[in-house]
Amino acid sequence: MLSRLLSPLAGLLLLATVPAAAQAPAPSTAAGNRFVADSLDAYVQRGLRQWNIPGLAVVVVKDGQVVASKGYGVRAVGKPEPVDANTLFLIASNTKLFTGTALAKLDEEKKLSLNDKVTKYLPDFQLYDPTSTQLTTVRDLLGHHLGTKTFQGDFTFWSSNLSRADIVRSMRLLQPPFQFRQEYGYCNAGFLAAGQIIPVVTGGTQWEDYVQQTMLRPLGMSSTSMSTAGFGQRPNIALPYSNAYGPLAQLPFDHVDNLGPAASMVSNVNDLGKWLQCQIDSGKYQGRRVLSWPVVRRTRDVVTAVSARKSALLPEHFRTYGLGVFAADYNGRQVYWHTGGATGYVSNTCFVPEERLGIAILTNQDNQSFFEALRYQLLDAYLGMPYLDRSQQLLARSRPGREGTLKDVAALAARVAKKNKPAQQLDAYAGQYTHPLYGPIQVERKGKQLLVRFGRHPELTATLDYMDGQEFRTVYSNLTYGIYPAIFTLENGQVKTLELRVNDGIEQDPYVFSKG
């Protein structure tokens, strides 16, 4: 309230009178390095046990030096091969800063302007609303403020058989619940559309080739791949796991090259340490200029306000989004970061340029927050925060949600176990169903169950077990999609619709498919 009553000058004078002792303590490089040297190994090993994570890799860069680059745990459950600094993981949305940097570089080279309308380069581009279509700029595609919900459309797009052009074309079917440029809503398809502009303005150089030529090769990131294709055949890879809906289980590999500019990169901590050094040295690596400072700075400029409320957990008061990177304050320092989530993998990259600090953490279990707890623990150590066990803090907060999910799964199993019989014959539910965005699915009878085949995901099926009313339990063949009720509706005794839900981390709202 006080800040609303003060003039800007009075506010500055008030700040100037605050005693030095009341300001944020100076960060302690020594304290951070001591934590890495003396406590990191035990902290991580305990975290792997607490959160049931098979393997983790971490790199810490400080003042131009790699303080730590190492692995913990195993690549595959039941096998002895350890995770090391060269073990490959899907880094998912950590791809986005590479894409944002590519567009910022093309802006600097005058091959495009971030303020250009998207339709200048992609004439067929359309959003649901024609006015928004005409207003959308390249910058808007990278800012997560198109009016859509976070992850809207991703059940259709993620790991599907749709091409990049198909996905961009489908953006016109995403009915936004929010106003254009008014609300933050994380949009993978927007980054894809931005990446599709690159070959238009470079004479045909594709997104993956442009990033390889301008960033990966100059940085010597020789193990990093732009593609998830063939990942399972590469040496020294971490396999994907989750325990979101039951005991820890191995999951299939994602195939997300169709969303490449948003999510398809593969890397290890040795390579990401080079990317971090480039970020904290204003675009230089080992004294050589890789990216100009204006390009690096442009990626960090605020495009979208995410939050301006004090965090209850962290020494943080605001969050913003730039061109593929979040920013926040953390105990008085400006911190940039992104996270990445794919089936069986979660990761983060983080850098604090004014302290010349960089952190990257890769894991192969997607139902945990330890990868973030470790980042906060390292930030606390290097930025002068009193010790607080971030792993215990986040573990306690996550436990109710975890237990709630398992309780819900058990409740569905109990309803199935009653062996009720539907009023309709199972054959009455069989047939083709269609959703305006997703397209067709096929429901077949299979003994006492129904089987769903997904047109956009040929490798995905779901079994439906009858519970009661018009509800069946859905169990997806890929458990990352979850275990939820499937709800049919009838009209005049005829099956009309089927509502399916997936894991909120894929898409938050259910899809209603119409029969016939």
Side-chain angles (χ1 to χ4, degrees):
M1 290 292 293
L2 179 63
S3 63
R4 296 181 188 177
L5 301 175
L6 291 170
S7 70
L9 178 59
L12 290 173
L13 291 172
L14 178 66
L15 290 172
T17 63
V18 175
Q23 298 180 21
S28 172
T29 297
N33 288 342
R34 276 199 307 273
F35 177 82
V36 171
D38 300 340
S39 304
L40 180 64
D41 289 354
Y43 186 87
V44 173
Q45 294 290 3
R46 188 192 64 175
L48 297 188
R49 293 192 299 271
Q50 288 176 322
W51 294 87
N52 200 7
I53 304 169
L56 177 150
V58 59
V59 60
V60 179
V61 178
K62 185 72 172 78
D63 297 328
Q65 302 296 317
V66 177
V67 179
S69 185
K70 61 199 305 185
Y72 299 87
V74 294
R75 305 176 214 165
V77 173
K79 296 185 178 180
E81 291 81 9
V83 172
D84 59 34
N86 293 310
T87 301
L88 295 170
F89 296 74
L90 271 64
I91 66 169
S93 287
N94 288 295
T95 300
K96 287 183 171 70
L97 182 54
F98 290 89
T99 300
T101 302
L103 273 299
K105 182 173 173 60
L106 291 167
D107 178 281
E108 186 194 37
E109 294 170 353
K110 308 301 183 186
K111 293 183 179 178
L112 56 76
S113 167
L114 291 168
N115 294 321
D116 284 340
K117 300 297 189 288
V118 174
T119 50
K120 178 178 178 179
Y121 305 108
L122 304 176
D124 293 334
F125 174 82
Q126 287 185 42
L127 297 179
Y128 188 85
D129 171 59
T131 301
S132 298
T133 299
Q134 294 306 312
L135 291 173
T136 301
T137 65
V138 178
R139 193 189 308 272
D140 290 324
L141 292 177
L142 301 169
H144 299 311
H145 58 214
L146 299 179
T148 53
K149 270 190 176 182
T150 289
F151 302 145
Q152 188 172 343
D154 280 0
F155 177 35
T156 300
F157 305 150
W158 189 268
S159 213
S160 74
N161 60 8
L162 291 171
S163 69
R164 292 180 183 179
D166 290 335
I167 293 174
V168 173
R169 193 177 303 113
S170 295
M171 290 178 72
R172 67 194 64 184
L173 301 175
L174 300 176
Q175 185 171 358
F178 307 125
Q179 292 294 314
F180 180 67
R181 290 181 183 157
Q182 192 166 325
E183 299 284 344
Y184 170 81
Y186 195 89
C187 183
N188 284 311
F191 267 79
L192 167 61
Q196 293 292 85
I197 293 173
I198 293 175
V200 177
V201 301
T202 58
T205 303
Q206 297 298 316
W207 161 78
E208 40 268 90
D209 296 325
Y210 187 81
V211 172
Q212 185 82 40
Q213 293 165 13
T214 61
M215 286 168 255
L216 302 190
R217 200 168 295 155
L219 288 170
M221 296 176 66
S222 57
S223 296
T224 300
S225 168
M226 303 301 295
S227 169
T228 58
F231 176 69
Q233 285 70 56
R234 297 185 69 174
N236 197 0
I237 64 170
L239 300 185
Y241 294 89
S242 183
N243 65 353
Y245 298 93
L248 189 70
Q250 186 178 335
L251 300 174
F253 293 114
D254 275 335
H255 303 287
V256 291
D257 290 352
N258 61 343
L259 281 168
S264 71
M265 290 178 68
V266 172
S267 193
N268 58 35
V269 292
N270 268 348
D271 272 9
L272 289 173
K274 300 172 184 179
W275 177 238
L276 292 171
Q277 290 193 65
C278 180
Q279 291 294 331
I280 61 181
D281 200 14
S282 305
K284 293 181 182 179
Y285 177 63
Q286 294 183 341
R288 293 180 292 105
R289 174 66 62 187
V290 175
L291 298 167
S292 75
W293 168 235
V295 166
V296 173
R297 180 173 54 193
R298 194 167 290 120
T299 65
R300 301 173 187 175
D301 289 341
V302 177
V303 176
T304 304
V306 178
S307 173
R309 296 179 180 176
K310 183 179 185 299
S311 170
L313 294 178
L314 306 170
E316 175 185 300
H317 301 80
F318 72 87
R319 287 192 179 194
T320 65
Y321 199 82
L323 302 179
V325 67
F326 289 95
D329 63 316
Y330 199 98
N331 199 32
R333 298 297 182 268
Q334 195 168 24
V335 175
Y336 300 94
W337 87 97
H338 214 291
T339 58
T343 296
Y345 303 94
V346 285
S347 58
N348 59 48
T349 52
C350 173
F351 45 95
V352 190
E354 60 194 306
E355 298 300 333
R356 296 177 58 78
L357 172 66
I359 302 162
I361 299 158
L362 310 178
T363 68
N364 63 339
Q365 206 271 70
D366 65 13
N367 184 41
Q368 45 90 11
S369 298
F370 182 69
F371 77 113
E372 284 286 77
L374 178 57
R375 176 169 74 92
Y376 298 141
Q377 205 72 68
L378 287 163
L379 288 174
D380 285 353
Y382 278 104
L383 302 186
M385 287 289 293
Y387 182 78
L388 172 66
D389 190 331
R390 296 293 185 182
S391 180
Q392 290 286 7
Q393 179 189 47
L394 296 188
L395 190 64
R397 289 179 66 89
S398 71
R399 191 170 287 119
R402 162 85 174 147
E403 292 173 351
T405 297
L406 296 180
K407 184 178 178 180
D408 290 344
V409 170
L412 295 177
R415 290 169 67 186
V416 171
K418 291 179 180 179
K419 299 187 182 300
N420 295 324
K421 294 188 177 181
Q424 284 71 29
Q425 294 294 319
L426 286 181
D427 289 332
Y429 299 96
Q432 181 170 287
Y433 294 71
T434 305
H435 183 272
L437 174 64
Y438 187 92
I441 62 172
Q442 193 73 28
V443 178
E444 305 168 2
R445 179 174 181 173
K446 187 178 180 182
K448 296 181 180 180
Q449 296 176 313
L450 296 173
L451 180 71
V452 184
R453 300 187 187 278
F454 296 88
R456 300 304 182 200
H457 299 83
E459 298 178 358
L460 180 68
T461 61
T463 56
L464 306 186
D465 294 288
Y466 183 69
M467 297 189 297
D468 44 61
Q470 293 300 328
E471 296 194 12
F472 290 67
R473 178 188 62 179
T474 311
V475 179
Y476 292 93
S477 58
N478 180 343
L479 279 178
T480 196
Y481 287 83
I483 301 174
Y484 297 101
I487 304 172
F488 289 91
T489 62
L490 275 64
E491 187 177 302
N492 298 323
Q494 301 295 312
V495 178
K496 300 299 291 184
T497 67
L498 167 58
E499 178 183 291
L500 292 175
R501 176 178 291 280
V502 296
N503 179 351
D504 283 355
I506 298 173
E507 185 151 359
Q508 297 174 5
D509 290 336
Y511 279 36
V512 177
F513 294 83
S514 298
K515 192 171 189 286

